Amino acid sequence: MSAHQKTADSPFIRACRGESVPHTPVWFMRQAGRSLPEYLKVREGIPMLESCTRPDLITEITLQPVRRHGVDAAIYFSDIVVPLKAIGLDLDIKPGVGPVVADPVRTRADLARLRPLEPGDVSYVTEAVGMLTAELGATPLIGFAGAPFTLASYLIEGGPSRTYEHTKAMMYGEPELWAELVDRLADIAAAFLTVQIEAGASAVQLFDSWAGALAPADYRRYVMAASAKVFDAVAGHGVPRIHYGVGTGELLGLMGEAGADVVGVDWRVPLDEAARRVGPGKALQGNLDPAVLFAPTAVVEAKAQEVLDAAAAAGTGHVFNLGHGVMPSTPPDALTRLVDFVHRATAV
Protein backbone atom coordinates (compact mmCIF):
# COMPACT_ATOMS: atom_id res chain seq x y z
CA MET A 1 0.00 0.00 0.00
CA SER A 2 1.40 3.43 -0.98
CA ALA A 3 1.84 6.27 1.50
CA HIS A 4 -1.02 8.10 -0.23
CA GLN A 5 -3.36 5.12 0.21
CA LYS A 6 -2.43 4.70 3.88
CA THR A 7 -3.35 8.30 4.67
CA ALA A 8 -6.42 8.69 2.39
CA ASP A 9 -8.89 8.13 5.23
CA SER A 10 -7.05 10.26 7.81
CA PRO A 11 -8.95 13.17 9.39
CA PHE A 12 -6.52 15.66 7.81
CA ILE A 13 -6.96 14.42 4.22
CA ARG A 14 -10.73 14.06 4.70
CA ALA A 15 -10.99 17.64 5.98
CA CYS A 16 -8.93 18.93 3.04
CA ARG A 17 -11.46 17.27 0.74
CA GLY A 18 -14.44 18.66 2.66
CA GLU A 19 -15.54 15.19 3.84
CA SER A 20 -16.90 14.25 7.28
CA VAL A 21 -14.28 13.81 10.01
CA PRO A 22 -14.22 12.09 13.46
CA HIS A 23 -12.68 15.32 14.85
CA THR A 24 -11.23 18.52 13.42
CA PRO A 25 -7.63 17.74 12.44
CA VAL A 26 -4.84 19.91 13.81
CA TRP A 27 -1.30 20.72 12.72
CA PHE A 28 0.79 23.84 13.21
CA MET A 29 2.99 25.78 10.84
CA ARG A 30 6.52 25.68 12.30
CA GLN A 31 5.45 22.87 14.65
CA ALA A 32 8.86 21.27 14.08
CA GLY A 33 11.52 23.61 15.31
CA ARG A 34 12.55 26.33 17.66
CA SER A 35 9.82 25.94 20.27
CA LEU A 36 10.90 22.36 21.08
CA PRO A 37 13.84 21.64 23.41
CA GLU A 38 14.44 18.31 21.65
CA TYR A 39 14.80 20.21 18.36
CA LEU A 40 17.33 22.65 19.80
CA LYS A 41 19.30 19.72 21.18
CA VAL A 42 19.45 17.77 17.92
CA ARG A 43 20.28 20.90 15.87
CA GLU A 44 23.07 22.07 18.19
CA GLY A 45 26.06 23.23 16.16
CA ILE A 46 24.49 22.29 12.81
CA PRO A 47 23.73 25.16 10.40
CA MET A 48 20.10 25.37 9.23
CA LEU A 49 20.74 24.61 5.55
CA GLU A 50 22.95 21.65 6.42
CA SER A 51 20.22 20.22 8.65
CA CYS A 52 17.85 20.43 5.65
CA THR A 53 20.10 18.10 3.62
CA ARG A 54 20.54 15.28 6.16
CA PRO A 55 17.76 12.68 5.89
CA ASP A 56 18.31 11.34 9.42
CA LEU A 57 18.00 14.82 10.92
CA ILE A 58 15.05 15.82 8.70
CA THR A 59 13.23 12.66 9.76
CA GLU A 60 13.85 13.13 13.48
CA ILE A 61 12.90 16.82 13.46
CA THR A 62 9.75 16.24 11.38
CA LEU A 63 8.58 13.49 13.75
CA GLN A 64 9.23 15.38 17.02
CA PRO A 65 5.94 17.34 17.12
CA VAL A 66 3.93 14.29 16.01
CA ARG A 67 5.29 12.38 19.00
CA ARG A 68 4.97 15.26 21.45
CA HIS A 69 1.69 16.94 20.45
CA GLY A 70 -0.28 14.17 18.70
CA VAL A 71 -0.94 16.42 15.69
CA ASP A 72 -2.90 14.98 12.75
CA ALA A 73 -0.23 15.68 10.14
CA ALA A 74 3.53 16.13 9.94
CA ILE A 75 5.10 18.83 7.80
CA TYR A 76 8.37 18.08 6.06
CA PHE A 77 11.25 19.90 7.78
CA SER A 78 12.97 22.14 5.27
CA ASP A 79 13.10 25.79 4.20
CA ILE A 80 11.64 27.59 1.20
CA VAL A 81 15.15 28.47 -0.07
CA VAL A 82 16.40 24.85 -0.12
CA PRO A 83 15.61 24.32 -3.84
CA LEU A 84 17.38 27.60 -4.68
CA LYS A 85 20.48 26.47 -2.79
CA ALA A 86 20.20 23.09 -4.55
CA ILE A 87 20.50 24.69 -8.01
CA GLY A 88 23.66 26.49 -6.95
CA LEU A 89 22.61 29.92 -5.69
CA ASP A 90 24.93 31.45 -3.11
CA LEU A 91 22.65 31.92 -0.12
CA ASP A 92 22.55 31.12 3.56
CA ILE A 93 20.09 31.26 6.44
CA LYS A 94 21.48 33.58 9.08
CA PRO A 95 20.22 33.02 12.65
CA GLY A 96 17.91 35.82 13.71
CA VAL A 97 17.79 37.24 10.16
CA GLY A 98 16.56 34.60 7.71
CA PRO A 99 17.63 33.78 4.15
CA VAL A 100 20.38 36.05 2.82
CA VAL A 101 21.38 36.02 -0.87
CA ALA A 102 24.98 36.96 -1.69
CA ASP A 103 24.24 38.41 -5.16
CA PRO A 104 20.65 39.58 -5.55
CA VAL A 105 18.81 38.83 -8.80
CA ARG A 106 18.14 42.19 -10.46
CA THR A 107 18.97 41.90 -14.19
CA ARG A 108 18.16 39.64 -17.13
CA ALA A 109 21.71 38.24 -16.95
CA ASP A 110 21.01 37.15 -13.35
CA LEU A 111 18.16 34.90 -14.56
CA ALA A 112 20.69 32.51 -16.08
CA ARG A 113 21.56 31.38 -12.53
CA LEU A 114 18.03 29.98 -12.10
CA ARG A 115 18.39 26.65 -13.86
CA PRO A 116 15.64 24.00 -13.61
CA LEU A 117 15.62 21.84 -10.47
CA GLU A 118 16.28 18.15 -11.16
CA PRO A 119 15.25 15.38 -8.71
CA GLY A 120 18.94 14.47 -8.34
CA ASP A 121 19.65 17.95 -6.94
CA VAL A 122 17.55 17.06 -3.88
CA SER A 123 18.04 13.30 -3.55
CA TYR A 124 18.12 13.82 0.24
CA VAL A 125 14.47 14.93 0.04
CA THR A 126 13.42 11.71 -1.67
CA GLU A 127 15.33 9.70 0.93
CA ALA A 128 13.95 11.64 3.90
CA VAL A 129 10.33 11.49 2.69
CA GLY A 130 10.68 7.73 2.23
CA MET A 131 12.00 7.35 5.77
CA LEU A 132 9.25 9.59 7.13
CA THR A 133 6.29 7.93 5.44
CA ALA A 134 7.55 4.53 6.65
CA GLU A 135 7.51 5.88 10.24
CA LEU A 136 4.30 7.90 9.98
CA GLY A 137 2.06 5.15 8.60
CA ALA A 138 -1.50 6.53 8.50
CA THR A 139 -0.43 10.05 9.58
CA PRO A 140 -0.07 12.26 6.50
CA LEU A 141 3.13 14.09 5.60
CA ILE A 142 2.71 17.58 4.12
CA GLY A 143 5.29 18.66 1.59
CA PHE A 144 5.86 22.34 0.88
CA ALA A 145 7.52 24.97 -1.25
CA GLY A 146 7.82 28.74 -1.35
CA ALA A 147 5.55 30.49 -3.82
CA PRO A 148 7.07 32.42 -6.74
CA PHE A 149 6.38 35.92 -5.36
CA THR A 150 7.92 35.18 -1.96
CA LEU A 151 10.97 33.45 -3.47
CA ALA A 152 11.39 36.34 -5.92
CA SER A 153 11.25 38.89 -3.10
CA TYR A 154 14.10 37.14 -1.25
CA LEU A 155 16.19 36.89 -4.41
CA ILE A 156 15.65 40.51 -5.47
CA GLU A 157 15.94 42.12 -2.03
CA GLY A 158 18.86 39.90 -1.02
CA GLY A 159 17.09 38.96 2.22
CA PRO A 160 13.95 39.67 4.26
CA SER A 161 12.27 43.03 3.60
CA ARG A 162 9.47 45.11 5.11
CA THR A 163 8.93 47.35 2.09
CA TYR A 164 9.86 45.23 -0.97
CA GLU A 165 11.04 48.31 -2.85
CA HIS A 166 13.42 46.44 -5.17
CA THR A 167 10.86 43.71 -5.77
CA LYS A 168 8.07 46.13 -6.62
CA ALA A 169 10.41 48.30 -8.70
CA MET A 170 11.07 45.30 -10.95
CA MET A 171 7.45 44.16 -10.90
CA TYR A 172 6.12 47.57 -11.97
CA GLY A 173 9.11 48.88 -13.93
CA GLU A 174 10.33 45.76 -15.74
CA PRO A 175 7.20 43.60 -16.02
CA GLU A 176 8.66 41.30 -18.70
CA LEU A 177 11.76 40.53 -16.64
CA TRP A 178 9.53 40.03 -13.58
CA ALA A 179 7.22 37.64 -15.45
CA GLU A 180 10.18 35.56 -16.60
CA LEU A 181 11.62 35.46 -13.07
CA VAL A 182 8.42 34.28 -11.37
CA ASP A 183 7.78 31.80 -14.18
CA ARG A 184 11.19 30.19 -13.60
CA LEU A 185 10.55 30.15 -9.86
CA ALA A 186 7.16 28.49 -10.49
CA ASP A 187 8.93 25.68 -12.35
CA ILE A 188 11.45 25.26 -9.51
CA ALA A 189 8.71 25.23 -6.84
CA ALA A 190 6.62 22.75 -8.86
CA ALA A 191 9.63 20.45 -9.31
CA PHE A 192 10.37 20.60 -5.57
CA LEU A 193 6.76 19.71 -4.70
CA THR A 194 6.70 16.92 -7.27
CA VAL A 195 9.78 15.29 -5.73
CA GLN A 196 8.04 15.32 -2.33
CA ILE A 197 4.73 13.96 -3.66
CA GLU A 198 6.37 11.20 -5.69
CA ALA A 199 8.37 10.15 -2.63
CA GLY A 200 5.16 9.88 -0.57
CA ALA A 201 3.95 13.28 0.70
CA SER A 202 0.13 13.13 1.03
CA ALA A 203 -0.54 16.88 0.66
CA VAL A 204 1.41 20.00 -0.22
CA GLN A 205 1.38 23.61 0.93
CA LEU A 206 2.55 26.60 -1.09
CA PHE A 207 3.77 29.34 1.26
CA ASP A 208 3.30 32.79 -0.24
CA SER A 209 4.42 34.32 3.01
CA TRP A 210 4.83 37.87 1.70
CA ALA A 211 1.96 38.12 -0.82
CA GLY A 212 0.08 40.24 1.72
CA ALA A 213 2.30 43.14 0.59
CA LEU A 214 0.32 43.25 -2.68
CA ALA A 215 -2.93 44.94 -3.67
CA PRO A 216 -5.44 42.49 -5.19
CA ALA A 217 -5.17 44.02 -8.68
CA ASP A 218 -1.38 43.66 -8.60
CA TYR A 219 -1.61 40.09 -7.29
CA ARG A 220 -3.91 39.20 -10.17
CA ARG A 221 -1.77 40.93 -12.77
CA TYR A 222 1.75 40.04 -11.67
CA VAL A 223 1.64 36.98 -9.39
CA MET A 224 -1.42 34.80 -9.81
CA ALA A 225 -0.40 33.10 -13.07
CA ALA A 226 2.91 31.93 -11.60
CA SER A 227 1.24 30.50 -8.47
CA ALA A 228 -1.43 28.85 -10.64
CA LYS A 229 1.34 27.26 -12.70
CA VAL A 230 2.68 25.57 -9.56
CA PHE A 231 -0.72 24.21 -8.58
CA ASP A 232 -1.47 23.07 -12.14
CA ALA A 233 1.86 21.24 -12.33
CA VAL A 234 0.98 19.01 -9.34
CA ALA A 235 -2.78 18.72 -9.94
CA GLY A 236 -2.44 15.34 -11.66
CA HIS A 237 -1.07 13.72 -8.50
CA GLY A 238 -4.44 14.14 -6.79
CA VAL A 239 -3.07 15.27 -3.41
CA PRO A 240 -4.70 18.20 -1.57
CA ARG A 241 -3.01 21.52 -2.33
CA ILE A 242 -2.97 24.23 0.37
CA HIS A 243 -2.27 27.91 -0.37
CA TYR A 244 -1.17 30.16 2.48
CA GLY A 245 0.04 33.71 3.01
CA VAL A 246 0.23 36.27 5.83
CA GLY A 247 -1.85 39.43 5.73
CA THR A 248 -3.70 38.08 2.70
CA GLY A 249 -7.27 38.82 3.83
CA GLU A 250 -7.83 40.94 0.71
CA LEU A 251 -6.42 38.19 -1.51
CA LEU A 252 -8.25 35.11 -0.18
CA GLY A 253 -10.58 34.79 -3.19
CA LEU A 254 -7.71 35.16 -5.66
CA MET A 255 -5.52 32.69 -3.76
CA GLY A 256 -8.31 30.13 -3.98
CA GLU A 257 -8.76 30.93 -7.66
CA ALA A 258 -5.06 30.27 -8.26
CA GLY A 259 -5.77 26.58 -7.79
CA ALA A 260 -5.72 25.60 -4.14
CA ASP A 261 -8.04 22.96 -2.65
CA VAL A 262 -7.52 24.47 0.83
CA VAL A 263 -6.96 28.15 1.56
CA GLY A 264 -4.91 29.04 4.63
CA VAL A 265 -6.23 32.03 6.58
CA ASP A 266 -4.23 34.16 8.99
CA TRP A 267 -5.79 35.38 12.26
CA ARG A 268 -7.10 38.71 10.94
CA VAL A 269 -10.17 37.34 9.12
CA PRO A 270 -12.73 35.06 10.86
CA LEU A 271 -13.21 31.75 9.06
CA ASP A 272 -16.88 32.33 8.26
CA GLU A 273 -15.96 35.62 6.55
CA ALA A 274 -12.98 33.89 4.86
CA ALA A 275 -15.37 31.27 3.46
CA ARG A 276 -17.49 34.06 1.97
CA ARG A 277 -14.42 35.60 0.31
CA VAL A 278 -13.01 32.31 -0.96
CA GLY A 279 -16.33 31.00 -2.28
CA PRO A 280 -17.71 27.45 -2.31
CA GLY A 281 -15.80 24.25 -2.98
CA LYS A 282 -12.65 24.99 -0.97
CA ALA A 283 -11.69 23.91 2.53
CA LEU A 284 -10.13 26.37 4.98
CA GLN A 285 -7.09 26.12 7.24
CA GLY A 286 -6.44 28.22 10.33
CA ASN A 287 -6.54 30.47 12.13
CA LEU A 288 -5.75 31.05 15.84
CA ASP A 289 -3.46 34.00 16.54
CA PRO A 290 -0.08 32.42 17.55
CA ALA A 291 0.31 35.00 20.33
CA VAL A 292 -2.80 33.62 22.08
CA LEU A 293 -0.68 30.61 23.16
CA PHE A 294 1.08 32.82 25.72
CA ALA A 295 -2.22 33.46 27.56
CA PRO A 296 -3.68 31.16 30.27
CA THR A 297 -5.09 27.82 29.10
CA ALA A 298 -8.71 28.88 29.63
CA VAL A 299 -8.16 31.85 27.32
CA VAL A 300 -6.45 29.71 24.67
CA GLU A 301 -9.39 27.30 24.74
CA ALA A 302 -11.97 30.09 24.54
CA LYS A 303 -10.18 31.64 21.56
CA ALA A 304 -9.79 28.22 19.90
CA GLN A 305 -13.52 27.66 20.37
CA GLU A 306 -14.19 30.95 18.55
CA VAL A 307 -12.17 29.60 15.60
CA LEU A 308 -14.09 26.32 15.69
CA ASP A 309 -17.44 28.14 15.86
CA ALA A 310 -16.53 30.34 12.88
CA ALA A 311 -15.43 27.24 10.96
CA ALA A 312 -18.73 25.54 11.77
CA ALA A 313 -20.58 28.63 10.52
CA ALA A 314 -18.49 28.52 7.35
CA GLY A 315 -19.82 25.03 6.69
CA THR A 316 -16.76 23.88 4.78
CA GLY A 317 -13.87 21.48 5.43
CA HIS A 318 -11.66 22.80 8.23
CA VAL A 319 -8.08 22.05 9.25
CA PHE A 320 -7.25 23.74 12.57
CA ASN A 321 -3.96 25.64 12.53
CA LEU A 322 -2.49 28.87 13.76
CA GLY A 323 -2.79 31.97 11.59
CA HIS A 324 1.01 32.00 11.26
CA GLY A 325 3.92 29.88 12.46
CA VAL A 326 4.58 28.80 16.05
CA MET A 327 6.69 31.48 17.76
CA PRO A 328 10.08 30.30 19.07
CA SER A 329 9.30 31.03 22.74
CA THR A 330 5.88 29.31 22.69
CA PRO A 331 5.53 26.88 25.64
CA PRO A 332 5.42 23.41 24.02
CA ASP A 333 2.83 22.18 26.53
CA ALA A 334 0.43 24.90 25.37
CA LEU A 335 0.47 23.34 21.88
CA THR A 336 -0.09 19.83 23.26
CA ARG A 337 -3.05 21.05 25.32
CA LEU A 338 -4.48 22.90 22.29
CA VAL A 339 -4.39 19.75 20.12
CA ASP A 340 -6.15 17.83 22.87
CA PHE A 341 -8.77 20.57 23.28
CA VAL A 342 -9.60 20.75 19.56
CA HIS A 343 -9.90 16.97 19.36
CA ARG A 344 -12.19 16.84 22.41
CA ALA A 345 -14.29 19.84 21.40
CA THR A 346 -14.99 18.49 17.92
CA ALA A 347 -15.24 14.73 18.58
CA VAL A 348 -18.25 13.25 16.81
Side-chain angles (χ1 to χ4, degrees), residues 221-280:
R221 182 172 178 185
Y222 297 109
V223 174
M224 193 164 151
S227 291
K229 188 179 190 186
V230 181
F231 287 120
D232 289 346
V234 298
H237 291 284
V239 304
R241 299 159 299 167
I242 310 167
H243 201 178
Y244 168 75
V246 189
T248 49
E250 298 298 321
L251 305 178
L252 289 173
L254 294 171
M255 290 176 75
E257 218 179 299
D261 305 297
V262 184
V263 177
V265 184
D266 79 3
W267 65 93
R268 296 170 177 90
V269 180
L271 291 178
D272 48 349
E273 170 60 18
R276 196 185 64 73
R277 296 182 190 187
V278 169

Side-chain angles (χ1 to χ4, degrees), residues 53-127:
T53 61
R54 288 176 45 178
D56 58 332
L57 213 47
I58 296 166
T59 301
E60 169 58 22
I61 292 168
T62 302
L63 290 173
Q64 284 175 348
V66 181
R67 289 190 207 116
R68 181 190 268 263
H69 304 313
V71 284
D72 294 279
I75 183 161
Y76 182 79
F77 176 76
S78 186
D79 189 274
I80 62 169
V81 299
V82 163
L84 301 178
K85 181 79 172 176
I87 61 169
L89 263 62
D90 185 359
L91 55 82
D92 198 10
I93 297 173
K94 298 210 167 157
V97 179
V100 177
V101 181
D103 300 304
V105 172
R106 302 220 175 132
T107 67
R108 185 161 296 281
D110 292 331
L111 287 185
R113 285 149 48 201
L114 294 174
R115 68 165 177 85
L117 179 78
E118 306 291 341
D121 297 323
V122 288
S123 55
Y124 47 85
V125 173
T126 303
E127 188 180 339

